Amino acid sequence: MNTRPPSRPSLLVPYYEHPSARPAEWDALVAAAPRLYGVVLNPASGPGDAPDPAFIRVAGRLRAAGVRLLGYADTAYGRRPVTDVVRDLTRYHAWYGTDGTFLDQVAAEPGGFDYYRRLAAAVWGAGPATLALNHGTPPHPAYARIADLVVTFEGSWETYRQLPPEPWPGGSGGLGARVCHLVHGVPPGTDVAALARSRGASVHCAVPGVGDHPWGTLPHALEPTR
């Protein structure tokens, strides 16, 4: 597990657009470096089959600005072979110099814990690294023992605003993992950060995007001026 002390920046940004198609947005992420917990890289629903020169360049700029880079990998709720996921993580590190991984579609029940413990061992076996688990819902607290960051909510603003303020017991006040909430469909001027903190999340991302691809948008505060 990453041994660095928790960082103050609170924004984790999963931005799933190609740098050549959205250069101004990637410039905005570099400029926002001091505010970022990290950026999730996702060139091709994973690292792809070969290094992407545009992502190599933007990853280098983000690293130079001090931004933590996490490589996206889908785990299909524990159904994807561990070897395939580890191959993705190895490619991210070799091609883009990632500092860790963002595992998506992560199981939340205790029966899936052993699968993710094996992946965690592979992540840490390569040295200090950040492991983020995107359950999208509060998982069994055991998952806090193997992760640095646990996403306990991913969904729409309309759903998020109606949830009761019940912090997850595995968070920093419990077993140690930081908690993250990912919210889409957020109107301009909405203070999601304060609401997230009241629900125990020290990291968040709130974007205006809706539909099947909300993570092709940046948080309102980071959108470039055109």
Side-chain angles (χ1 to χ4, degrees), residues 6-188:
S7 56
R8 292 184 179 181
S10 63
L11 288 174
L12 172 69
V13 183
Y15 188 56
Y16 300 160
E17 291 289 334
H18 198 275
S20 63
R22 298 285 189 273
E25 282 76 2
W26 285 98
D27 289 346
L29 283 173
V30 174
R35 302 169 59 186
L36 302 180
Y37 174 87
V39 170
V40 181
L41 297 183
N42 187 12
S45 295
D49 295 324
D52 185 314
F55 270 98
I56 290 174
R57 288 191 292 272
V58 79
R61 293 177 61 203
L62 288 165
R63 286 198 313 273
V67 177
R68 177 190 283 111
L69 299 180
L70 305 179
Y72 172 96
D74 185 4
T75 67
Y77 300 104
R79 296 188 299 270
R80 191 171 177 221
V82 168
T83 53
D84 289 356
V85 179
V86 172
R87 180 194 60 205
D88 283 356
L89 307 187
T90 300
R91 287 177 172 179
Y92 274 118
H93 186 69
W95 298 346
Y96 305 115
T98 51
D99 306 293
T101 182
F102 179 88
L103 298 182
D104 197 19
Q105 298 200 101
V106 175
E109 71 282 353
F113 180 74
D114 187 60
Y115 172 93
Y116 293 97
R117 183 165 53 186
R118 292 168 63 195
L119 285 177
V123 170
W124 302 332
T130 298
L131 176 59
L133 301 179
N134 183 15
H135 305 272
T137 190
H140 188 277
Y143 286 92
R145 299 203 304 264
I146 62 170
D148 297 283
L149 186 75
V150 175
V151 180
T152 63
F153 178 88
E154 180 180 0
S156 72
W157 167 243
E158 288 302 317
T159 300
Y160 189 63
R161 66 190 298 194
Q162 297 174 29
L163 291 178
E166 297 179 358
W168 178 58
S172 56
L175 298 177
R178 296 184 75 179
V179 174
C180 177
H181 293 165
L182 303 177
V183 190
H184 51 75
V186 178

